Amino acid sequence: MEPAHRRPDRRRLLTGAAALAASAALTPLTAAGAAPRPQARRGSAYPPHRWVPASPANFTAAKRPAKYPVDMVVIHVTQETFKNTLKLFKNPRHKAAAHYVVRSADGALAQCVREHDVAWHAGNWDYNTRSIGIEHEGWIDDPTWFTDELYAQSARLTAAICGRYGIPVDREHIVGHVEVPGTDHTDPGEFWDWARYLQLVQEVSWESAG
């Protein structure tokens, strides 16, 4: 069961969301088909994830990194449930999607946009072309959503992405949505533990290199 977190319905960081019912259950991913499993160049293994495709109206088909170099990871917080976030990304009227979404309760990962495509997640075209976007289930003013499982699985994912593209594991290349120029978003917010997160990413990267 989903933890009984407060869900302030006054905010919807994921723009275009309608008033969605507050579901109390975390349901398994039901979309058919396996997620693309790119191989990390330096041994970092991608954690298990399911392919839950976003609408083609919410990203730009591309051939990265041949067309656009990938040199950044952007960290987001959904301001929505995991389940409703996936619904929004499937909605062609939403006009936004991230590459990955991480579930709070158990760290389950959904991939919604292939890494070689440009997801519309950062609100800045240059950053979109250069980055992989990772959404994390939760609300920025409620740190109880940022569970050990969420941090651990997200860190494994980010370490694998950094290994694949040769991205340095530091705060210049792993950034929050709030740091994207021109954005009006504030995620991942003051309760996101950057020191802990970077340490986890570094530890996974070192283990993979060893």
Side-chain angles (χ1 to χ4, degrees):
M1 294 293 290
E2 186 177 45
H5 293 290
R6 177 169 58 88
R7 296 179 186 167
D9 56 11
R10 67 184 183 277
R11 289 197 284 286
R12 286 295 180 269
L13 188 59
L14 294 169
T15 58
L20 295 167
S23 172
L26 274 174
T27 57
L29 299 174
T30 57
R37 299 291 182 96
Q39 296 299 311
R41 291 177 181 171
R42 293 187 288 195
S44 300
Y46 276 69
H49 51 282
R50 294 287 301 275
W51 177 234
V52 187
S55 167
N58 296 331
F59 64 89
T60 298
K63 294 182 179 180
R64 301 191 308 170
K67 185 172 182 180
Y68 302 105
V70 177
D71 61 7
M72 189 176 300
V73 176
V74 179
I75 301 299
H76 303 262
V77 171
T78 60
Q79 298 293 100
E80 258 299 354
T81 64
F82 181 84
K83 182 178 180 180
N84 287 343
T85 298
L86 299 181
K87 287 181 179 179
L88 287 169
F89 289 175
K90 286 178 172 292
N91 183 347
R93 296 185 300 275
H94 185 58
K95 302 304 180 185
H99 293 92
Y100 295 96
V101 186
V102 187
R103 189 160 61 188
S104 171
D106 56 5
L109 292 172
Q111 184 173 6
C112 302
V113 179
R114 290 178 171 86
E115 290 183 11
H116 62 242
D117 292 328
V118 177
W120 300 348
H121 65 96
N124 177 308
W125 177 247
D126 177 55
Y127 274 65
N128 282 344
T129 63
R130 297 168 51 199
S131 66
I132 304 294
I134 305 176
E135 287 278 5
H136 299 81
E137 181 186 27
W139 279 265
I140 63 173
D141 59 355
D142 186 354
T144 61
W145 288 89
F146 304 150
T147 62
D148 292 344
E149 293 81 6
L150 177 142
Y151 274 120
Q153 284 290 80
S154 178
R156 289 180 62 198
L157 175 61
T158 294
I161 292 168
C162 290
R164 183 181 189 206
Y165 298 102
I167 301 171
V169 179
D170 59 36
R171 286 287 284 115
E172 291 184 15
H173 297 86
I174 303 173
V175 303
H177 194 182
V178 66
E179 298 168 79
V180 175
T183 186
D184 60 355
H185 291 222
T186 59
D187 56 313
E190 63 178 313
F191 295 113
W192 182 261
D193 192 337
W194 278 111
R196 175 186 183 187
Y197 188 68
L198 266 292
Q199 181 177 353
L200 288 170
V201 177
Q202 290 166 351
E203 288 175 353
V204 174
S205 299
W206 292 334
E207 289 171 2
S208 300

